[in-house]
Amino acid sequence: MGLLSTCTRLSIILAVCVGGLAYFLYTPVPPDVDQPGIIRTLSAMFKLTRVFISAAHMLGVQENSIQLRRRIGSYMRTPPPRDRHPDMLVTDHVVDGVKVRMYRPLSAPKVSPAFLHLHGGGFCLGSVDSEDTVSRYIARQGQIVVVSVEYRLAPEHPFPAALDDCVSAAVHVLKNGADWGIDVTKVGVGGMSAGGNLAAATALRLLDDQYRHLPRLRYQVLAVPVLQGLFRDLPSYSQCEPFAKALISPNEKATFVLAYAGLDISPSTVRQVLEGRHVRPATRARMAKYVSGVQVKASSHKELTGEEVEVNESLADAYERVFLNPLASPLFAEEDQLKQVPAAVVVMSQYDPLRDEALLYVRRLQHAGVPVTHHLIPNGHHISLLVRDEGPGSEACRLAYETIFQFMKDSISK
């Protein structure tokens, strides 16, 4: 009986271990997805992070989930060595209170074009370190100076703090870039995900009269960008969510959006956003013109329950105040504004929930007469454009960057 009991216990322990291992390693991905190994590796890391966060909260740790993600991430990563590329000069600066990191290829011209790089991370995570390999790759391949911005993060610094930092860095480069060997008439801005949002918003913000005396930005690079915070039910959201949640869950996305807006990020508020209680039906109807041509389905809550959601009026007031602002949702900019923004390259991924809003922005820019180059990464996902130290991890990634570099070259040669 004792032996049987021991075997039973061992079987249970083994089953739990195997089940736990399967949980961390199994990630449902489309069979043709780009770079599946990266997806599975990062998915396992993110799952482990969620477990640590839950355990920390059970033990009474008071930090919120975003702060804990940052702390855990700092333990998992080591800062990239500055001097690993002898052909690259990397220096840190503070401009108007904003930290920036400058990458200058030693083989670049003495006076070079520049690219203002805005990292991704849902407005809450990320840093110049997290996209160090991207900055280096752009600088090396483009033979340009890259200025990467360490903007402030939510929830400690909600909208428009991050945008203010990006604009301050852009203004400094456009005004004083000659001191850094930068041709201030050949400066572009860009980024991935949240960085794409901030790049588009920076281009819009620099249209203000107070900046008219500065050289104009020559171009913008919007890679898998976040371009609106209102519609959570575009087709690409429902089509790609089963796969995309391996990297970031709907709860986490809602948490980041609320944090950027400076709103409560408690589980109850997150749940209300997921149920569609944060936007009034009249507001959705009024803004539907911006998603013309894309069929928007009913909210997931109504789809699942058949019930109309009851809007939380105070939440809707605060939420709409931020995300009806074109500086938070560039997709909602007026055409008179869009007509004045610089040429753009917009890169989308097939399996990215943000695909449709990027396509809609392409259409809006084209309608406004802005020169636009757009590229769809076939079988790509939200992080397809991240590069390793040695460069792109797939042919699809390389081709996307080839499109970006050609666009940048064409933009600064005109």
Side-chain angles (χ1 to χ4, degrees):
M1 188 71 175
L3 179 61
L4 181 61
S5 178
T6 300
C7 289
T8 301
R9 290 195 188 97
L10 289 174
S11 297
I12 293 173
I13 292 172
L14 180 61
V16 170
C17 291
V18 171
L21 187 63
Y23 167 74
F24 285 110
L25 295 182
Y26 174 68
T27 300
V29 297
D32 57 351
V33 73
D34 181 49
Q35 305 178 73
I38 289 181
I39 292 294
R40 293 192 172 96
T41 300
L42 290 178
S43 177
M45 290 175 57
F46 295 154
K47 287 175 182 177
L48 187 60
T49 298
R50 291 170 195 142
V51 170
F52 285 154
I53 290 173
S54 297
H57 285 158
M58 290 175 63
L59 292 172
V61 175
Q62 296 301 308
E63 289 179 305
N64 62 49
S65 61
I66 294 172
Q67 293 166 331
L68 285 170
R69 279 180 72 109
R70 288 192 207 134
R71 184 185 292 273
I72 294 167
S74 69
Y75 294 148
M76 291 182 172
R77 289 190 301 268
T78 56
R82 237 18 116 66
D83 56 354
R84 69 179 185 274
H85 295 135
D87 62 339
M88 184 84 64
L89 177 63
V90 182
T91 54
D92 286 334
H93 307 267
V94 177
V95 297
D96 298 328
V98 181
K99 296 179 181 179
V100 300
R101 181 170 295 167
M102 185 166 65
Y103 301 79
R104 173 182 287 278
L106 298 184
S107 55
K110 187 174 181 180
V111 179
S112 302
F115 177 69
L116 199 72
H117 179 206
L118 312 178
H119 67 79
F123 308 104
C124 301
L125 307 173
S127 66
V128 294
D129 283 343
S130 65
E131 292 190 17
D132 178 78
T133 54
V134 177
S135 294
R136 289 173 184 268
Y137 182 66
I138 294 173
R140 191 164 55 249
Q141 294 299 116
Q143 286 297 289
I144 60 174
V145 174
V146 170
V147 180
S148 186
V149 183
E150 189 75 71
Y151 57 81
R152 288 170 291 173
L153 301 175
E156 296 87 349
H157 305 285
F159 174 83
L163 176 59
D164 288 343
D165 290 350
C166 295
V167 171
S168 292
V171 169
H172 183 88
V173 170
L174 292 170
K175 185 185 295 184
N176 306 300
D179 297 337
W180 285 346
I182 289 173
D183 183 343
V184 296
T185 67
K186 296 180 179 180
V187 177
V189 65
M192 286 188 279
S193 193
N197 172 288
L198 292 168
T202 296
L204 287 167
R205 183 83 163 272
L206 289 177
L207 299 176
D208 291 353
D209 288 341
Q210 61 180 312
Y211 304 122
R212 292 287 183 177
H213 66 288
L214 297 172
R216 299 289 300 276
L217 289 174
R218 293 294 285 271
Y219 61 86
Q220 50 185 325
V221 177
L222 312 180
V224 291
V226 181
L227 291 167
Q228 57 87 33
L230 184 65
F231 294 97
R232 296 180 53 81
D233 38 21
L234 297 174
S236 57
Y237 275 73
S238 56
Q239 292 167 6
C240 303
E241 194 65 69
F243 158 62
K245 67 182 180 183
L247 297 175
I248 179 171
S249 70
N251 282 48
E252 289 166 330
K253 280 191 286 191
T255 299
F256 291 166
V257 170
L258 285 166
Y260 189 52
L263 302 177
D264 173 50
I265 58 172
S266 67
S268 62
T269 307
V270 169
R271 185 168 57 251
Q272 291 183 64
V273 170
L274 295 177
E275 292 174 350
R277 302 179 188 275
H278 60 303
V279 179
R280 298 176 180 88
T283 302
R284 289 172 57 84
R286 177 164 55 88
M287 305 305 289
K289 62 183 179 181
Y290 294 108
V291 294
S292 175
V294 174
Q295 183 180 359
V296 179
K297 296 183 179 180
S299 71
S300 58
H301 180 72
K302 181 178 179 181
E303 197 172 55
L304 291 172
T305 66
E307 301 173 356
E308 292 286 350
V309 297
E310 181 179 344
V311 173
N312 179 328
E313 294 292 336
S314 61
L315 175 60
D317 277 338
Y319 190 93
E320 293 177 7
R321 190 177 304 119
V322 172
F323 289 109
L324 290 181
N325 185 337
L327 296 179
S329 297
L331 181 62
F332 302 151
E334 296 298 328
E335 187 163 326
D336 286 346
Q337 290 178 293
L338 291 182
K339 285 179 178 179
Q340 304 175 67
V341 300
V345 59
V346 182
V347 179
M348 302 159 276
S349 280
Q350 180 179 345
Y351 294 123
D352 183 15
L354 301 178
R355 181 196 67 215
D356 286 353
E357 58 199 73
L359 178 59
L360 289 164
Y361 199 56
V362 167
R363 292 177 182 172
R364 291 217 63 211
L365 290 172
Q366 288 174 331
H367 191 266
V370 176
V372 184
T373 297
H374 56 92
H375 178 88
L376 176 70
I377 302 176
N379 310 321
H381 45 74
H382 190 61
I383 57 174
S384 280
L385 285 168
L386 289 179
V387 296
R388 304 163 185 169
D389 193 42
E390 64 273 15
S394 71
E395 180 66 6
C397 179
R398 188 191 67 77
L399 289 173
Y401 272 108
E402 191 174 279
T403 298
I404 292 172
F405 290 133
Q406 186 61 51
F407 164 82
M408 294 166 67
K409 181 180 178 181
D410 292 344
S411 296
I412 62 178
S413 64
K414 293 177 181 177

